[in-house]
Structure formats: structure tokens, C-alpha cells
Amino acid sequence: MADLQEPFELCKVFQNGSLLGIFRHAEDDHILLTFRDRGVLVYNLQLQKLVNNWSLEQRDEVTFAAVCNRAEKNFVMVVNKSEIFMWKETESDLKQCQRIQSSKEVSSLLVWNTLQTDPVVVFQDGSLLSLSDVDTASQARMVKRRKTTTSSQNDLWCFALQYQNKPYSVLIMAHGENKYKVKIAIHGSPDCTDEKRRGMEWKLVPPEKNTTLLSCCTCEEGHAIISYWSDGSLCVTELEFALLSISSNTKKPSLVCRIIQRLRPLHCGKNKDKGSVALAAIDPEHVCLCGSVTVEEELKDTIMLWNIKYGTLQSMQILDKIPGMQPSLLQTSVLPNGASCASCIPGFICVGFFHSVVVCQFTVDPCSLASALGQLDYTAKFVKDQKSKPLLFVTPKLTKPEKNTWSKAIKKEDHLEKKVLNKLTDPSETPTLEAFSSQLNSYMEMKLRGEDKGDKDDDSHKTSRKEFKSARLLSQQFISGVLSRCASEKAFWARESVSKLLKTKYVPASSSKELLNCIMEKNDLELLKECFQKIKGIPEDTIVDCLRHVLRQARVAAEENETESSQEHREGDQMPLDKENAKYLCAILCYTMNDVFLLPCLKKLSFEDVILLLKFFMYLMDRGLLGFQDDVDCKSLTYPQILDWAGLVLNAHFSELVIQPEAHELLARCRKTVTQQIRTYGKLRALEGFLDHFKHKRRLPQAEKVGLYAIEELEL
């Protein structure tokens, strides 16, 4: 939500067009006003008074308003189109100020409020140059001024942006009737190429044909251009991909103006004067729009605050209460003609109208959908189509479904599913494996044929499409009932049917315990691995039961080859499990679980299981999960998961491991490995800053009494 307070008049504008610009001062509550006839004025907006001013000689004429250079803490402005004045706050007049004569006509100056970067000089032909690089051969104050050639460039808007802590300039240029282009360049970076400094250009696509750009603005911390066009369109143009293109030096398509809201066109005269509408960005989500609006069939100067994200008018102030803005019979020249320029500083909006400079305090809260919805009726008064609310919040017109068609189809499908489920769960209906599998397969194929009716996809996509559709077509109630029959049936084991249902990935967690117990009874470890890959939410006690079963099978396999196994274990470098059991064990270890519920369940493991499991963890930790794909298939198991499991097992059996002498050697080895890896990681951490600095190619920080280079020895 945003709110505009009652405006007040800061000062008068005695001649039309004499106000050149309004810019921020180094102080947060100060503002710089530059007049063609009165020079530069500094106002304190909080106290509403003039605090400083500088005037020019009568023969000089300001052509671009003064800006505050925060890097050097001075002021810069353009005089007589090609002469740049620079002076400090403490100087009383401009007679002794530093001057730089430019060989080309200067259009504007760019400064950054949050970055310590030199100002950028923008010339009439669209070229850019840093102020420090401008030719200073003719800096003498007594240099003879000469007329420079005029440029064919008519309209030129310049803005300063920062992206990834780097300064960027954005230029919007007109190169024909209702044809515009955007030029973006980077500044102040020593590693950027000359092409990046000169900038890259994109075509700017207007919202409608034959529309004129009246005003635009950007927020220095944002990545978009906000523009207002002659047809009343308030638009936003995203620049983030263009800024990335500058860094990568790759050209992208043209920039498009996305319409935020279609407003009633502001008064801009018969010739669609671009100086009659002013835009100023408050933050990346709010913008100030100033101009003359028809209110109650009268033309009045207004200040409006718009929300860009939701396209709603948050607040508006009409300037008919200010004495200097009220028309009279004798003063016909003060009729509303719009705004010439605007600027926003923290808490204040300063707008230059043709006969007065007006200031309005404002407050902005974080925008939300609730606050935007509350402004819909207020916004609708100013949109082009006054009969409807903004399109963003219009409820879409949905087609009404035919009567009873949907409910009949659902009832028919439910009835068929119950009928098939009764056959699959009744041993008298499906007494054999062939009958059971045939009934299940025919039902699933029938469901898929119903979805594939009219589908003309290629045969290469049928397999993946069927698996996806079967997951959507089979209900969890149906899958749970069929799996319950498979687990409880003693006459046969429907392994293929279970695998087919697992591929749907819709097996409910409530059926996992019964199914996994049955699979462990059948000792089908491959199907056990598939369950851990396809089922979500397996209980922690069931995970530990499966872990015990795999470890039991590993010990049995080790006892069958006892001589080789004992010799390998004495060496300490060989894997304590065979390849197959290690693969199934890794499938369980990489499963997502809750350590709070897993810790008490791990106490069910026997001492032999704990020792074998810790030896396997030590084997993985010694190699850091690198380069043993031939021995262990654990592509999805990560090193942090191994550390978590090892810590949980040690916590669950801490007392038993300390008391039993057989575990002391293993614990000492675990301590040695962890200590060595911690020491290695600590030394690697010392390299983290250097590697990050080298990766991003940053400049070395400036420091006093530091040589050109230093040698440091890092030991690994």
C-alpha cells in the first residue's frame, strides 16, 4: 500500500521551459533544481527552504541540469551544449570552477547514487564517455567557445542502472517517426571490452503501432524500463536478459513493451508533446506518473502513484488547492499543461510543472495482492475502458458443463473399478497367476486405450506416455487392494504385477510395510530396491527391517567364502560386502528419512550388523565416494548421507561399542579418518577465498602499505 500526502509548492517557474531538471543531492532530504535563467538552487525539502544557490554569467546558458557526483562529492552540469562545469559545495560562485570543453555536443550526464563511479557523459549522437576520459586539452577558462554541429538525434532518454554491483547506462533513442531503440553499455569495469563500453543496441517494440513515447524512467536497483505512450499505455520492459547479454556478448531479440495498464491518455497537447508527462521510479514496484488528467470534466494537474506489479492506482493528489496552480480569468497562462520533469528521493516526490515546482511526501509499504484488490474500483476510474475493472483481476468466463454427463462418467468408472477390484481380490475369481495377471493387464490396457483415443503421438513416446497415464488413471484404493492380495496370496507370487504397479509411483505409504515384508520373505532384493526407488513415505522401522535383511544376506554371502573374506578383512582395504549386496544397501541408505524417528529404530540392529555397517561406511569414507563405481553402485548416495548414517548408528549403539573390545580398533580407525579429513578440509577452506576471487576475476581490494605481490605457502 502507498499513500501521497497533501502537496505543497516549493518555488515558482516564471518562464515556460526554464526548469531543466530535478536531481538528487548528496543529502537525503535535499534536492537540486536547475533553471535556464536562474542557475542551480538547493532546497531542503524537510524544512521547505532554500539552502544554497549558484548563478551563471549572463552570456552563459545551462543546457543540462546539474547532478551530484557522489564519488568526488561535487556537482557537474553542462553549459552552452559543450562545456562541462564542476564545482564543490563550498564554492560561492561558478566563476572559478573547473571547466572541461568537449569536442561534441553533450546531451546529458549520468551518475550512480549507490556506486562510487565516475559520471558518464552522453553526447547528442548517442556515444558515451567517462568524465575522466573526456578530452581536457582545452580546459582553460579563457578558451574561445565555438559552435558545434547539431545532431539529428531528436529524443534521448538516459538512465543509470546497477546490475551485479556493476554500473550500466541505458539510452532510449528515437531514429524515426515512432521508432525507438535501446542502447545498454557497461562502465567502470577494467576487464570489459571496448565493445561493451560502447554498448549494444536493441529495437524497442511499442505497445501499439503509431504511438509516441512521451516519458520513461528506471529504478537504479531494478531491471526494467517503465514507459508511458501517447495512447495511454503504461508499460514495462524487462532488461535482465539484455544485461546478461552484455556480459556474455551475445545478441538477443528485440525488447517488448508489456502493457501494465491502458489508461485514459493524459493531456499532451495537439502535437503530443513529450514534455507534458513525467515519470519517476520510486522503487522496483512503484512509479510516480505526473501530468494533466480530466477529472469531473475539468483538466487538472495531478500526481499519481501506481503499483507496477499489480497495475493498480495506489494514491493520487490533485494540485487544484495550491494557489499558484489555480487558474484565473486574468492568468490564462497557468492553465494545466502537464509536468516537465520529476524526481524521487526517500520520502519525497518533487515534480516540475510548467508554472510551479511541487513537492509531495509519500509512504510506501510492501505491496500485496490484498492491498491491490482494495484499489480496483479506484483504478477503474482512470483506465481507458471505464465500464470494466483491470483485466488482470477479471474472472474468466468458463463454459458450463453439460447436465449429468460428468457425473454419469464418474459413476461408470467407479463401478467398473470396483468390479475389477473385486475380481482381483477374490481368490475364487482369479485362482491362478495367469488369471490374476491377465485381469490386471487387460484393465490397465483398457484404461490406457480410453485415454489414447484420438491421440496421434509417435510410437517412440508410447512407453513413457503409458507409464505417466497409468499413474493418473489408477486410484490408490485400487493399487492398495491389489498389492494386499499379492502380499497375502500363498498360492502364487505375482512379481510382474507388483513391479508394474510400482512403476506408477502411486503406491501409498500405508501399503509399503505389508508389501516389503512379503518381498523380504521372498528374498527378492531387486524388487526391494525398486520399492525404495518408487514408493514415498516408507516408515523408519520398515527401513531398518530392510537394512537388517540386506546385512543378513551379506553375512551369509561372506560365510560361504570365509577364507578369502577373512584375509581381505585383515588387509583393511577391501570392501566388506560383495558388489550385489552393496548395491541394495546403498539403495536403502540414500532413501529420504527422518533421523528423529530413525534413531530409536536403529537400536534393533545386532552388534554384528553394526560392525559390518560401520566397516562399509569406513570403506566409503576413505574413498570419498570417488572412483569406485566398478565396486559399488551408489551413484545416488552422497557423502553427507554417509556421515549422517554413521553418526546415527554410533549414537544408537554408543555404549555397546565402547564396552566391546572388538569395536575399539574400528572406532580408532574412524576417529583417524575423520580427523584427517577435517584437517584436509580446513586447509582447503583457506583456498576458498582465493579460488572464489580467481573464479569471478575480481579486482584486488585497495590497501595501504601492501606491495605488488606476496608469496604464501599453503600445505595440503
Side-chain angles (χ1 to χ4, degrees):
M1 190 66 184
D3 181 49
L4 289 172
Q5 298 182 13
E6 194 71 23
F8 61 89
E9 185 181 37
L10 188 66
C11 65
K12 297 283 186 181
V13 179
F14 299 109
Q15 296 181 7
N16 287 342
S18 63
L19 179 63
L20 295 180
I22 306 173
F23 289 97
R24 295 183 62 173
H25 191 273
E27 300 291 337
D28 289 338
D29 55 353
H30 286 48
I31 201 78
L32 279 171
L33 304 181
T34 305
F35 294 87
R36 194 184 306 273
D37 54 347
R38 281 189 284 173
V40 183
L41 308 180
V42 180
Y43 278 90
N44 186 326
L45 300 184
Q46 193 71 41
L47 303 177
Q48 303 182 23
K49 69 175 184 178
L50 180 67
V51 294
N52 208 341
N53 71 303
W54 297 275
S55 59
L56 291 172
E57 297 179 7
Q58 189 173 3
R59 61 179 180 175
D60 291 329
E61 181 182 10
V62 182
T63 53
F64 185 77
V67 296
C68 181
N69 179 14
R70 295 188 175 228
E72 299 293 336
K73 297 181 180 180
N74 61 0
F75 303 103
V76 186
M77 73 176 177
V78 181
V79 179
N80 301 323
K81 298 183 179 180
S82 60
E83 196 169 1
I84 302 174
F85 280 29
M86 294 182 292
W87 73 95
K88 296 285 187 178
E89 179 89 32
T90 56
E91 296 183 20
S92 58
D93 54 46
L94 301 179
K95 294 181 180 180
Q96 303 298 326
C97 71
Q98 182 182 358
R99 305 184 184 189
I100 299 176
Q101 182 69 37
S102 172
S103 60
K104 294 189 294 185
E105 290 187 0
V106 179
S107 173
S108 59
L109 300 169
L110 290 180
V111 292
W112 285 262
N113 297 316
T114 56
L115 297 177
Q116 296 294 326
T117 306
D118 289 337
V120 171
V121 181
V122 184
F123 300 100
Q124 282 287 351
D125 58 359
S127 59
L128 304 100
L129 200 62
S130 175
L131 181 61
S132 58
D133 296 334
V134 176
D135 185 16
T136 58
S138 303
Q139 290 187 34
R141 290 183 291 105
M142 302 304 294
V143 66
K144 184 178 180 180
R145 297 181 179 88
R146 56 184 176 84
K147 296 184 178 180
T148 55
T149 57
T150 58
S151 173
S152 60
Q153 187 69 47
N154 295 324
D155 299 334
L156 182 64
W157 291 269
C158 309
F159 308 105
L161 284 182
Q162 59 164 305
Y163 181 69
Q164 296 179 350
N165 294 326
K166 294 181 179 179
Y168 287 81
S169 63
V170 179
L171 275 65
I172 303 176
M173 301 173 286
H175 59 98
E177 186 177 359
N178 299 330
K179 293 181 180 179
Y180 303 92
K181 59 183 178 181
V182 178
K183 181 179 179 181
I184 303 177
I186 186 173
H187 306 278
S189 181
D191 57 345
C192 66
T193 61
D194 293 337
E195 184 178 356
K196 293 180 180 179
R197 291 191 182 98
R198 288 193 299 268
M200 298 176 63
E201 294 183 358
W202 287 265
K203 178 184 177 183
L204 182 64
V205 180
E208 298 290 344
K209 291 184 178 180
N210 300 323
T211 55
T212 305
L213 179 60
L214 299 182
S215 182
C216 55
C217 68
T218 60
C219 180
E220 185 173 327
E221 295 79 11
H223 308 132
I225 299 174
I226 311 302
S227 56
Y228 181 81
W229 300 76
S230 58
D231 64 341
S233 298
L234 184 63
C235 304
V236 60
T237 304
E238 300 294 339
L239 296 178
E240 189 167 5
F241 77 89
L243 297 173
L244 291 174
S245 301
I246 295 292
S247 302
S248 59
N249 202 17
T250 57
K251 196 65 182 292
K252 293 291 184 179
S254 57
L255 301 175
V256 180
C257 293
R258 178 174 58 85
I259 298 177
I260 302 173
Q261 197 59 261
R262 293 184 182 272
L263 307 178
R264 285 182 288 166
L266 274 66
H267 175 72
C268 54
K270 297 181 180 180
N271 298 325
K272 297 182 179 179
D273 182 15
K274 73 166 188 174
S276 59
V277 179
L279 275 174
I282 297 175
D283 56 38
E285 294 182 345
H286 295 86
V287 67
C288 176
L289 176 62
C290 309
S292 301
V293 183
T294 303
V295 180
E296 297 177 355
E297 299 181 355
E298 291 185 9
L299 194 63
K300 298 180 180 180
D301 289 326
T302 57
I303 300 176
M304 295 183 287
L305 202 154
W306 285 84
N307 184 303
I308 302 173
K309 184 176 181 181
Y310 297 105
T312 55
L313 177 62
Q314 297 294 304
S315 183
M316 184 183 74
Q317 284 290 342
I318 301 176
L319 307 183
D320 55 354
K321 296 181 181 179
I322 298 178
M325 306 292 287
Q326 294 177 355
S328 64
L329 296 176
L330 298 178
Q331 296 176 331
T332 57
S333 61
V334 297
L335 290 174
N337 289 321
S340 59
C341 53
S343 179
C344 293
I345 66 172
F348 294 92
I349 297 174
C350 191
V351 185
F353 290 90
F354 283 92
H355 302 283
S356 182
V357 178
V358 179
V359 178
C360 189
Q361 287 187 284
F362 70 92
T363 55
V364 175
D365 297 328
C367 62
S368 63
L369 181 60
S371 62
L373 289 173
Q375 299 293 327
L376 286 183
D377 293 331
Y378 187 44
T379 306
K381 299 178 182 178
F382 297 92
V383 298
K384 206 165 189 178
D385 185 7
Q386 302 182 34
K387 298 180 181 178
S388 61
K389 292 184 179 181
L391 297 177
L392 182 61
F393 302 98
V394 172
T395 305
K397 296 181 180 179
L398 304 177
T399 57
K400 295 183 179 180
E402 298 180 4
K403 295 182 179 180
N404 301 327
T405 303
W406 181 79
S407 60
K408 286 182 179 180
I410 294 298
K411 289 180 180 179
K412 184 178 179 180
E413 291 182 4
D414 289 345
H415 177 72
L416 179 61
E417 182 182 278
K418 290 179 182 179
K419 182 179 179 181
V420 176
L421 183 59
N422 290 333
K423 289 183 179 181
L424 292 173
T425 55
D426 189 359
S428 61
E429 294 285 344
T430 52
T432 62
L433 177 61
E434 291 76 9
F436 180 85
S437 301
S438 177
Q439 182 67 38
L440 179 61
N441 293 338
S442 61
Y443 177 70
M444 294 181 68
E445 290 294 333
M446 184 270 297
K447 296 284 285 183
L448 289 174
R449 282 197 302 271
E451 283 290 314
D452 288 340
K453 189 175 182 180
D455 196 352
K456 298 181 180 180
D457 290 347
D458 297 335
D459 295 337
S460 59
H461 301 287
K462 283 186 177 180
T463 303
S464 60
R465 190 177 70 251
K466 285 183 178 181
E467 291 182 1
F468 172 71
K469 289 182 177 179
S470 62
R472 293 188 294 113
L473 296 174
L474 300 178
S475 65
Q476 287 193 345
Q477 181 183 1
F478 178 85
I479 296 175
S480 179
V482 175
L483 290 178
S484 180
R485 166 74 190 284
C486 295
S488 59
E489 182 60 52
K490 303 298 182 183
F492 58 85
W493 168 234
R495 186 190 186 283
E496 297 299 328
S497 299
V498 173
S499 179
K500 184 173 290 188
L501 292 175
L502 286 174
K503 287 183 172 62
T504 64
K505 297 183 180 181
Y506 261 54
V507 176
S510 57
S511 304
S512 60
K513 188 177 184 65
E514 183 183 10
L515 177 62
L516 288 171
N517 288 334
C518 178
I519 292 175
M520 285 186 287
E521 289 180 7
K522 303 295 182 181
N523 197 24
D524 193 340
L525 296 182
E526 194 64 33
L527 193 61
L528 183 72
K529 175 186 174 184
E530 190 174 356
C531 288
F532 277 89
Q533 293 175 346
K534 306 296 183 182
I535 303 178
K536 296 182 179 180
I538 300 177
E540 279 71 12
D541 57 344
T542 306
I543 295 176
V544 175
D545 291 339
C546 297
L547 192 66
R548 292 172 58 193
H549 179 78
V550 175
L551 292 173
R552 191 182 306 117
Q553 299 302 317
R555 289 202 309 273
V556 171
E559 291 174 358
E560 293 178 356
N561 196 3
E562 185 175 357
T563 56
E564 295 182 5
S565 176
S566 61
Q567 183 178 1
E568 291 174 355
H569 283 214
R570 280 195 296 269
E571 293 176 358
D573 294 332
Q574 300 297 326
M575 186 174 64
L577 304 177
D578 60 287
K579 184 177 179 180
E580 288 297 319
N581 287 303
K583 176 180 66 174
Y584 302 133
L585 188 62
C586 288
I588 299 174
L589 294 176
C590 67
Y591 189 79
T592 304
M593 45 75 186
N594 191 321
D595 54 351
V596 176
F597 300 126
L598 183 66
L599 184 60
C601 299
L602 287 173
K603 296 180 179 179
K604 296 191 296 184
L605 294 175
S606 62
F607 181 74
E608 292 79 7
D609 293 338
V610 173
I611 294 297
L612 184 58
L613 193 58
L614 288 177
K615 287 181 179 179
F616 182 64
F617 291 155
M618 290 303 303
Y619 174 81
L620 298 179
M621 292 170 61
D622 287 338
R623 285 152 183 80
L625 290 181
L626 294 175
F628 55 84
Q629 287 81 359
D630 296 335
D631 298 333
V632 182
D633 184 14
C634 58
K635 297 179 181 179
S636 57
L637 186 63
T638 62
Y639 190 78
Q641 288 176 323
I642 296 174
L643 295 179
D644 291 341
W645 272 96
L648 290 172
V649 172
L650 290 173
N651 289 336
H653 297 268
F654 179 76
S655 301
E656 188 176 7
L657 292 172
V658 173
I659 294 174
Q660 295 291 342
E662 294 85 353
H664 292 174
E665 182 180 356
L666 182 61
L667 293 177
R669 181 185 166 197
C670 180
R671 178 182 178 278
K672 179 181 178 182
T673 301
V674 173
T675 303
Q676 181 181 3
Q677 292 185 0
I678 290 176
R679 188 183 303 113
T680 302
Y681 292 152
K683 294 180 179 180
L684 287 174
R685 191 173 184 83
L687 287 173
E688 183 179 3
F690 298 96
L691 295 177
D692 181 72
H693 189 92
F694 178 76
K695 177 181 178 182
H696 295 90
K697 299 180 181 179
R698 298 171 179 166
R699 299 180 62 182
L700 292 175
Q702 297 181 357
E704 297 180 357
K705 298 180 181 180
V706 176
L708 295 178
Y709 64 92
I711 299 176
E712 296 186 17
E713 182 179 354
L714 300 175
E715 179 185 357
L716 290 179

